[in-house]
C-alpha cells in the first residue's frame, strides 16, 4: 500500500559519516513525513498523515506536540512536553479525513553503524550488528506496550478506529 511504499523508499537512505543508529532512524522518519506531505500534495490516495501527538487519556490531537528535542531544551522541559502523550508515526485516513489505521515505522540499523553516543561523552558505542528485532516498543514500568497504547488511542477517536495498528518495518521492503 501507499504508506508501506513510502516507508520502504525512505528505508533506503544510507548512513552519513559520523551518524549513529538513532540519528539515521530520525532522518528516515523525517523522510517519511516529507514523503507523506508530497503524496498528499500530489493527490495521492488514500490520504496519509505523518506523526502527530495525541493526549493519551482523551485521545485528542495535541496541536504543536513534538518529540523533537530542540537545541538548548532542558531534559525537564522535554519530558514535560511529551508526558501523557502518544506519537504514532503515521496514519492512513478515510475519505472523510478520519484515521482509518494508525501506523508505526521501524528501520533496521545497518551493520557497522554506531548504535548511539556513549553517555556523557562524544564517543560512539558499539556498532550495530544489523540484527535487532523490529517490533512494537515493549511495556516499561506502568506504561503498556506501544501496540496496546496505540489500539487504545484508536478506540478514543471519533469515529472509532476499527483497524488494528500497522507495524511497517524495513524487513517488509523488497
Amino acid at each position: 500500500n501507499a504508506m508501506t511504499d513510502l516507508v520502504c523508499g525512505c528505508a533506503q537512505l544510507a548512513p552519513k559519516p559520523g551518524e549513529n543508529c538513532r540519528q539515521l532512524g530520525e532522518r528516515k522518519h523525517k523522510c517519511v513525513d516529507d514523503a507523506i506531505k508530497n503524496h498528499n500534495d500530489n493527490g495521492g490516495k488514500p490520504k496519509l498523515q505523518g506523526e502527530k501527538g495525541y493526549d493519551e487519556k482523551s485521545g485528542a490531537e495535541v496541536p504543536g506536540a513534538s518529540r523533537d528535542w530542540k537545541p538548548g531544551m532542558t531534559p525537564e522541559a522535554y519530558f514535560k512536553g511529551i508526558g501523557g502523550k502518544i506519537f504514532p508515526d503515521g496514519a492512513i485516513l478515510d475519505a472523510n479525513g478520519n484515521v482509518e489505521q494508525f501506523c508505526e515505522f521501524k528501520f533496521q540499523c545497518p551493520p557497522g553503524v554506531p548504535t548511539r553516543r556513549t553517555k556523557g561523552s562524544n564517543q560512539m558505542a558499539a556498532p550495530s550488528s544489523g540484527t535487532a528485532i523490529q517490533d512494537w516498543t515493549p511495556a516499561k514500568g506502568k506504561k503498556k506496550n506501544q501496540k496496546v497504547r496505540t489500539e487504545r488511542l484508536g478506540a478514543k477517536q471519533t469515529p472509532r478506529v476499527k483497524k488494528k495498528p500497522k507495524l511497517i518495518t524495513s524487513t517488509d521492503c523488497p
Side-chain angles (χ1 to χ4, degrees):
N1 73 30
M3 187 71 86
T4 301
D5 291 345
L6 298 181
V7 170
C8 289
C10 293
Q12 303 304 313
L13 290 176
K16 293 179 176 178
E19 194 170 47
N20 63 37
C21 291
R22 185 185 56 78
Q23 293 164 326
L24 177 59
E26 287 172 358
R27 192 161 55 89
K28 288 180 179 186
H29 276 78
K30 171 140 180 21
C31 172
V32 177
D33 278 343
D34 292 345
I36 287 170
K37 183 177 180 337
N38 188 46
H39 167 89
N40 290 340
D41 289 351
N42 288 299
K45 300 282 186 224
K47 289 286 186 209
L48 305 173
Q49 173 181 294
E51 181 178 277
K52 288 190 176 183
Y54 293 84
D55 181 274
E56 201 149 4
K57 282 193 177 116
S58 69
E61 185 183 328
V62 181
S66 173
R67 288 186 317 138
D68 292 342
W69 194 317
K70 307 275 191 259
M73 183 181 263
T74 65
E76 294 79 18
Y78 174 75
F79 289 110
K80 184 177 182 208
I82 64 168
K85 297 177 189 71
I86 183 170
F87 295 85
D89 288 332
I92 299 167
L93 306 179
D94 67 16
N96 297 317
N98 299 309
V99 173
E100 186 172 279
Q101 184 176 37
F102 284 113
C103 301
E104 188 63 32
F105 320 139
K106 302 290 183 187
F107 298 101
Q108 183 68 264
C109 191
V113 175
T115 51
R116 59 184 164 72
R117 292 199 187 279
T118 302
K119 218 174 201 149
S121 81
N122 219 8
Q123 297 274 354
M124 291 293 196
S128 167
S129 63
T131 59
I133 303 296
Q134 297 176 71
D135 202 357
W136 297 95
T137 304
K140 187 175 185 181
K142 292 182 180 177
K143 204 179 214 181
K144 299 282 185 198
N145 77 51
Q146 186 180 29
K147 183 176 184 185
V148 168
R149 293 172 60 226
T150 305
E151 287 171 347
R152 288 180 178 172
L153 173 65
K156 294 173 184 169
Q157 300 303 295
T158 305
R160 190 169 190 252
V161 176
K162 293 183 180 88
K163 288 187 177 181
K164 295 278 187 208
K166 181 176 185 170
L167 179 66
I168 305 170
T169 75
S170 53
T171 57
D172 297 324
C173 303

